[in-house]
Amino acid sequence: MARYIRLYWMMWIQGIQAQIEYKSSFIIGNVATILGQVTGIALVWVLFQKIGHLNGWSLPEIMLIYGIAALPYGFFELFFNGVWSLNRYIRMGDFDRLLVRPGSSLFFILADQPMLHGLGNIATGTVIILLASRQLDIRWDMCNLLILGFMVAWGTLIYISINTITACTSFWFVASGTNFLYLGQRFRDFTVYPLDIYASPLRILLTWVIPFAFTSFFPSTYFLDRDDYRVFVYLIPVIAVLFFGIASFVWRIGVNRYESTGS
Amino acid sequence: MKRLKKYLILTEQSLQVAMTYRVRFFTTMVTGLIQVLALYYIWKVVYAGQKSLGGYTLSEMVTYIFISYAVRNLYTFNTERKISENIRDGSVIIDLIRPLNYQLARFFESLGSVIFEGILVGIIVIAVGFGIFHIKGPASFMYGTLFAISLTFSVLINFSLSYAVGLLSFSTTSIFGFINAKRFISNFLSGGLIPLTFFPPWLHKIAFMLPFHAMVSSPISIYLGQIEAYQIANVLLEQLFWVIILWLAGYFMWAWASRKITIHGG
Amino acid sequence: MSSSPPPIISVRNLTKEYKIARRTEGFIGAVKYLFSRKYDTVRAVDRVSFDIYPGELVGYIGKNGAGKSTTIKMLTGVLVPTQGEVKVNGIVPYRDRTKNGQNIGVVFGQRTQMKWDIPVIESFRLMKEIYQIPPDIYKQNMEIFCDVLDIGSLLAKPVRKLSLGQRMKCDLAIAFLHNPKIIYLDEPTIGLDILVKENIRSFIKTMNAERNTTVILTTHDLNDIDSICQRAIIIDSGKIVYDGSIDAIKARFGTHKVLHIEVKDNLRQGDEVVQLPAGVTVQEFGEHRIKLHLNKEAASLAEVIQTLIEQYNIVDISIEDVSIESIVKQIYQEGWHE
Ligand SMILES: Nc1ncnc2c1ncn2[C@@H]1O[C@H](COP(=O)(O)OP(=O)(O)OP(=O)(O)O)[C@@H](O)[C@H]1O
Ligand SMILES: [Mg+2]
């Protein structure tokens, strides 16, 4: 374990160095992420110029959900973004390089390409949360901060799991240049809004199949004192661990498949 | 004519390549349907108890969502990614030794995915719109025709912008930030996600000073018949203006970039 | 190299400098690097001048990093020179890439011109349109190439299913497809087996003989040069160290021989051969083997062998001409002194 942490740290530093190499891209990358968050929330703001509430949710409440959604996403990008390279690695035959290393190949791929622009997501998310909390009267005392910290950590694990599973499709559809990761990510777009605005099939999907709701909406309900969703808040760690288990399993099947077809 | 032929084969071949990515076609389509569906639900909730918002009734808004998706999707964001990948891995070298105009070649190459992923997915999504969500057709046959012309300009503007952004790879070695920034700004200011009439006046003004609205908002407003017949010429001319400006911008950027090339590897 | 036609490629004081940002190690270094940077300039090609005449077969040789690819990239118009002039068929390549492109064919050994996912034949069709090749020439060339390079059976396969050698043969055929006046080949035989190499060499020679195509070739396999080229340009650290005929090199070193001697006793360091005449150098010594390099003009072969027989219990002796490879090695190390 200690070895993995040390190794991870080294790989992370190297990955970061590779990015700092390109100074302007570091800056513009973060500017772009911030821009993405800002335009996203601006759309909601524009909409609220015309309406008073969205299915009973006020603008600050939606901002809180939006801000919390940005955190695990940002941490995922900053630390575990490597699964995005899986498709390219397999296509170019570079995946062998990871397989011959001593240790878990999933670990190596996750640590492979940290994206510094995750920082932009974390920063904007924090600012949006703070703006929302001012109007909602949420106090960020030690207790709340700790709880948020845990939720973000579990949320990051959920991101790792979902993205690993969708990335694994590359083991099956190599030549087609397809990336199911994009498809999975599109479902993330839903979860920056309250879950109950969607029809029930979509709600079930976002809760039990692609459980992004556990990374943003359910955590937010805790801070908004919506007791009707409390059960789902307790389920956050369960879902995270369960899906990580599924992800590891799918990964193993994928790798075995890769080895047996390897050219 | 002969000159055109050597560019048309680029379209044909990129179409062939696109067609080998059948699974990607499928995911693009599903992604598109999901996005449209999400917007549909959101707007339905937004309209709860309201007859009209920003000058749109709910059923007009549903039409807007579907058509705007088809228009946005017509031009995928592949051009800039391809250009920047070619520059990064050095395979641009192959394009440099060929007797082709780089800008034109990239344009015709990009048409392949416009045809396969843009038009085909667009048709499917719109068919779903007509079949299940009862969206409206164009205001009249003439409006439909003018809509098609406007779409052509939209593709040209889209390409020119993507091309210019892609060429930035010559000075920043990693370009994804620029690509994303462009995507976010254009999603926001083109009217792709929310009609520009919802914007407060100052933002509305800004949006109309920039080229993005000419990519999505202009063709849709023609489709929906929101523009009086006599004003359509103005809208089309404005689009044409942006086509020319942005094409020239790309032309000069290439003149500048192609002298700065260093090829990596080899 | 007759003097009547004007050179098809003419290069004067051609120079290319690359700017490389200087880095320090570690995380702190990386952060520092974020805020300030210093640049080193590398002179990859340094005031190179030469003329190449129509129909010449020129080998462009040098160690790794000598500046070969950089030169080729400037000749093809890919890179803009830092200084100096290039003219290819009367055109400054980087100023008029489109026009220059029509006159040249290029193979970059590490890259393919073909699209990865679609069949090989499609790439040929693409070239037909891009270079506006008349149908009869296209047909004729395809027949010749399929015959000589034996690529007919590959045409229907997608490129990613080709082996390296098969891909290279296709890329070579593509480069020659529009009957270009000049062909640049940057390491066309890299990583190929001897049969494919032979095939490619004879193809290039045939094309040159039949169409008077000018060929410029870089390679690390000096057998390529030996069998294809009449002229060699040797470059080292961006500078030309030799430019002349291969025959001149051979003539110069033709009197040189290499002796391989196998002896019965196990030789150790310190047991060096004594009393060798001038003009003989020891290249290897150890185990049961001695390798000597000798210039026949300075030392008599018989005398050397005599000396050896007196000292060692000899099992076997073989005498060879010096390979062009070791000649070039010597020129790299010592330069070409007249
Ligand atoms: N894009 C680049 N940026 C910076 N330096 C470069 C670049 N390309 C080449 N160089 C440097 O220029 C010099 C010449 O490189 P070049 O590729 O021309 O060598 P080469 O003779 O082709 O070598 P090889 O036989 O290894 O292919 C080398 O020192 C190399 O490090
Ligand atoms: Mg080289």
Side-chain angles (χ1 to χ4, degrees), chain A residues 12-13 16-18 20-24 26-27 91 175, chain C residues 23 25-27 30-31 33-37 116-117 160:
Chain A
W12 189 76
I13 296 274
I16 295 295
Q17 277 178 338
I20 287 182
E21 174 99 18
Y22 307 118
K23 175 164 147 188
S24 59
F26 162 74
I27 295 168
R91 240 179 326 129
Chain C
R23 303 281 318 256
E25 275 171 39
F27 187 65
V31 172
Y33 182 76
L34 187 57
F35 296 104
S36 82
R37 5 194 103 163
W116 210 236
D117 294 302
R160 67 184 135 82

Side-chain angles (χ1 to χ4, degrees), chain C residues 22-123:
Chain C
R22 207 185 298 162
R23 303 281 318 256
T24 32
E25 275 171 39
F27 187 65
I28 306 291
V31 172
K32 250 199 237 155
Y33 182 76
L34 187 57
F35 296 104
S36 82
R37 5 194 103 163
K38 297 200 176 80
Y39 290 95
D40 293 326
T41 47
V42 175
R43 208 166 240 227
V45 173
D46 192 1
R47 282 165 295 165
V48 160
S49 305
F50 53 77
D51 284 325
I52 290 172
Y53 293 86
E56 270 197 289
L57 292 158
V58 179
Y60 201 59
I61 333 173
K63 285 184 285 209
N64 285 125
K68 304 181 294 294
S69 298
T70 306
T71 312
I72 298 285
K73 284 173 193 164
M74 287 192 283
L75 293 178
T76 50
V78 171
L79 289 180
V80 181
T82 314
Q83 264 172 44
E85 286 154 35
V86 213
K87 271 238 169 100
V88 176
N89 205 29
I91 298 169
V92 178
Y94 63 91
R95 278 217 197 105
D96 201 345
R97 289 196 172 101
T98 314
K99 221 160 147 199
N100 185 54
Q102 194 69 42
N103 296 330
I104 65 172
V106 189
V107 173
F108 295 106
Q110 288 96 330
R111 292 183 207 286
T112 178
Q113 290 232 38
M114 297 181 283
K115 279 220 176 78
W116 210 236
D117 294 302
I118 53 179
V120 174
I121 185 70
E122 295 297 332
S123 293

Side-chain angles (χ1 to χ4, degrees), chain A residues 22 24-25 28-29 31-33 35-40 42-43 45-47 49-55 91 115 117 173 175-180 182-183 186-187 189-190 193 196-202, chain B residues 20-24 26-27 30-31 34-35 37-39 41-43 45-47 50 53-54 81 88 171-178 180-185 187-188 193-195 197-200 202-203:
Chain A
Y22 307 118
S24 59
S25 105
I28 195 76
V31 170
T33 339
L35 209 65
Q37 295 287 353
V38 170
T39 52
L43 281 177
W45 175 78
V46 164
L47 204 60
Q49 302 299 101
K50 304 273 177 202
I51 57 175
H53 66 87
L54 188 62
N55 207 21
R91 240 179 326 129
M115 290 307 269
H117 66 227
F173 302 103
S176 50
T178 311
N179 213 332
F180 280 83
Y182 287 105
L183 185 58
R186 289 284 78 78
F187 285 95
D189 301 346
F190 294 113
Y193 304 115
D196 64 2
I197 66 173
Y198 302 113
S200 62
L202 205 51
Chain B
T20 61
Y21 296 154
R22 259 161 296 178
V23 185
R24 186 168 79 190
F26 170 77
T27 53
V30 174
T31 313
I34 290 170
Q35 275 176 331
L37 211 63
L39 285 170
Y41 281 122
I42 294 172
W43 282 110
V45 176
V46 169
Y47 271 84
Q50 312 251 19
L53 284 174
R81 258 226 314 277
R88 273 156 58 108
S171 62
T172 71
T173 328
S174 173
I175 202 199
F176 294 99
F178 282 102
N180 283 336
K182 187 210 124 194
R183 192 177 81 218
F184 294 135
I185 295 176
N187 270 349
F188 184 56
L193 296 175
I194 195 168
T197 51
F198 277 68
F199 281 21
W202 60 273
L203 203 54

